[in-house]
Amino acid sequence: MDNVCAVIMAAGDGTRMKSSYPKVLCDVLFKPMITWVTDHVADAGIRDACVVVREKEDRIAPLLPRGFITATQSADKNKGYGTGYAVMMAADFIKNGGFSDVVVLSGDAPFTGAQDILEAFEKHKSDGNDVTVLTSMLKDPAGYGRIVRDGEGVAAIVEQADADEDTKLIGEINSGTYWFKAAFLLDALGNITSDNTKGEYYLTDTVAYAVETGRKAGACVVSPDVVLGANDRKGLSELNRLALDKVLDRLMADGVNIPFPDGIVIGADVEIGPDTTILPGTVIRGRTVIGAGCEIGPNSYLDNAAIGDGCRVISSYVDSSTLENGVKIGPMSNIRPGCHIKPGVKIGDFVEIKNSTVGDGTAVAHLTYVGDADVGKNCNFGCGVVTSNYDGSKKYRTVIGDDVFIGGNTNLVAPVKLGNRVYSAAGTTVTDDVPDGALVIGRARQTVKEGWAERTGKYPKKT
Ligand code: UD1
Ligand code: CA
């Protein structure tokens, strides 16, 4: 896609969302709407894009793909407001880039995909249009701009607030995405006015301007589910529902077993292998990839996780970590960022692991904290083992060899290193390195005082 660019309008105030952040940052399936749009633009092969953001809004720029720039629209509504005014802010970007055509998109319509953008571009070119509006037929067109037709072409777009009763009956609506010839767009932006019910510059008025000046305005009709936008929280929850249904349909078509889809939320960028079962109460997000033949859930939370084949994650969290094949986690454990859990590891209940490697076949069965540790193969952790990795100011590593047996309630005070085949006695506090094959005992020796209860008069109890 050479010689074309995109302008994405993202400076609306989103008053109907009642949010402290702009509408385009509202998530659909854990991904801000603006990111859905920029992903589609990039997927369409468009490398030059300008996102129009509100003055002092610095939360959008960091989310943009490389090469996408921002232009600023004043927060002062008296200076100008509306979609037409937003695109005016990108006029220099369009002019200076020497582009032939421009696609303008709304930051609050996440489902207009790369395919729709490209299909509309084909039609825009082959019909020789100056402007091509992506439209759709909706059963309930309320709230959208209506498409007034003139034969095959488009005569005008009339906003809901400006529409008479007859116009409101029109079912064909403006999706908010348009292809323009760059030269026509720049000319039209200089000629639209804010003379309407809302006193805003409407980008949609460029269509009537095209007709008035003998240019060609056309439409590319796309399916209803790609045009939907969200103006309020209810609209947002509908978009979430729609996006989720699509994700679940795709996964099930790929052989993922989702027997009870209620109460399962899976993000759009998640990949899951066949014969993996996802059980209710499970949320999977980010760039999580799960292999084949796993069982995830019930009640699990995976974010940016890489999970191999044949794993089980029961009522547990995995965040930004890798689980190799045949790993079992849970119930009730927490794998925090930076973990690499090797094949066949078993992590039981109430175990927290952070920024650690755990070697093949090791078992960490109950009530244990492993932080900043490198653990070898085939080790066994007793109940209640703790790596004391933090001295209040710095973090230190614990290194454990292969075939190590760590007794219950062992305290590993880092930095500390245990060799291969080390045994630690239950209740030991390990403060110094232990060589291969050694037993380490570090606890007070037990003393037994016989007859103590009777002698001291504590028993039998006085009433
Ligand atoms: C707009 C269209 C309408 C269309 C609908 C599709 C106009 C006048 N109307 O209405 O025909 O059916 O989208 O969803 O264009 N924005 C700015 N700056 C502004 C105002 C808005 O950047 O001053 C951005 C918003 O962030 C949003 C987009 O433009 O991403 C659309 O604005 P919005 O207010 O949602 O327009 P709609 O009323 O939905
Ligand atoms: Ca909108």
Side-chain angles (χ1 to χ4, degrees), residues 382-386 405-413 423-431 439-445:
C383 180
V385 175
V386 173
F405 182 95
I406 307 178
N409 202 27
T410 293
N411 202 357
L412 301 161
V413 182
Y423 283 69
S424 88
T428 292
T429 293
V430 184
T431 51
L439 167 70
V440 54
I441 310 178
R443 62 181 185 219
R445 181 169 288 279

Side-chain angles (χ1 to χ4, degrees), residues 9-12 23 73 81-83 86 107-108 144-145 159 174-175 202 231:
M9 302 174 288
K23 173 169 66 174
Q73 178 179 349
Y81 193 69
T83 49
D108 66 344
Y144 290 90
E159 290 307 300
N174 167 24
S175 71
Y202 289 166
N231 294 320

Side-chain angles (χ1 to χ4, degrees), residues 222-351:
V222 294
S223 94
D225 56 348
V226 310
V227 303
L228 297 178
N231 294 320
D232 54 21
R233 300 283 176 175
K234 187 159 189 295
L236 203 57
S237 88
E238 279 157 14
L239 293 192
N240 271 293
R241 184 75 248 168
L242 247 167
L244 178 58
D245 283 347
K246 269 193 206 162
V247 171
L248 295 180
D249 286 352
R250 163 175 68 82
L251 292 172
M252 287 192 266
D254 288 349
V256 180
N257 187 32
I258 307 178
F260 313 105
D262 286 353
I264 289 175
V265 188
I266 303 179
D269 301 320
V270 170
E271 291 170 36
I272 305 178
D275 287 327
T276 285
T277 296
I278 311 292
L279 293 173
T282 294
V283 173
I284 308 177
R285 52 186 288 178
R287 301 253 165 212
T288 295
V289 180
I290 300 172
C294 298
E295 188 172 303
I296 310 294
N299 305 319
S300 292
Y301 180 94
L302 274 50
D303 191 2
N304 285 319
I307 313 267
D309 297 332
C311 293
R312 291 185 73 185
V313 180
I314 307 168
S315 298
S316 292
Y317 278 47
V318 181
D319 184 2
S320 308
S321 288
T322 299
L323 271 51
E324 291 201 28
N325 295 344
V327 169
K328 181 176 174 288
I329 312 272
M332 269 77 79
S333 281
N334 185 11
I335 311 301
R336 291 171 52 203
C339 289
H340 189 152
I341 313 289
K342 301 276 182 73
V345 168
K346 284 195 180 60
I347 313 265
D349 51 278
F350 302 103
V351 175

